[in-house]
């Protein structure tokens, strides 16, 4: 497999151009500040879906789920 080419044979640059062309919002792997975590937990407690909260803060839903599980009061 060539450098920069995925398993399907599509170059990363092509994917990036399509994402930008279609206006797709990209998730980043940023860490949440203390205030952002508190706000995310509050929204989850209020019944906002995990996916919606993750999208709002630009994080992976699975990462947010794990974070919430680790900080859930016993």
């Amino acid at each position: 497999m060539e450098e920069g080419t995925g398993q399907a044979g599509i170059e990363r640059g092509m994917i990036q151009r399509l994402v930008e062309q279609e206006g797709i919002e990209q998730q980043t792997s940023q860490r949440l500040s203390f205030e952002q975590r508190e706000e995310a937990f509050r929204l989850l407690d209020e019944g906002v879906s995990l996916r919606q909260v993750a999208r709002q803060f630009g994080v992976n839903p699975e990462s947010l789920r794990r974070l919430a599980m680790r900080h859930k009061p016993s």
Side-chain angles (χ1 to χ4, degrees), residues 13-70:
M14 175 183 276
I15 294 171
Q16 183 65 36
R17 285 188 298 278
L18 288 171
V19 165
E20 291 171 0
Q21 177 183 346
E22 296 299 321
I24 298 171
E25 185 176 325
Q26 299 179 64
Q27 292 184 343
T28 61
S29 59
Q30 70 181 16
R31 292 181 178 239
L32 298 177
S33 69
F34 176 79
E35 292 81 13
Q36 289 173 316
R37 285 193 306 270
E38 292 298 310
E39 176 69 7
F41 297 153
R42 185 186 65 74
L43 290 169
L44 291 170
D45 287 342
E46 290 178 358
V48 178
S49 79
L50 187 98
R51 285 189 183 277
Q52 288 174 315
V53 175
R55 189 176 309 122
Q56 178 176 335
F57 289 101
V59 296
N60 182 289
E62 181 60 21
S63 297
L64 182 58
R65 185 191 68 76
R66 286 192 307 264
L67 179 66
M69 293 301 291
R70 283 195 312 264

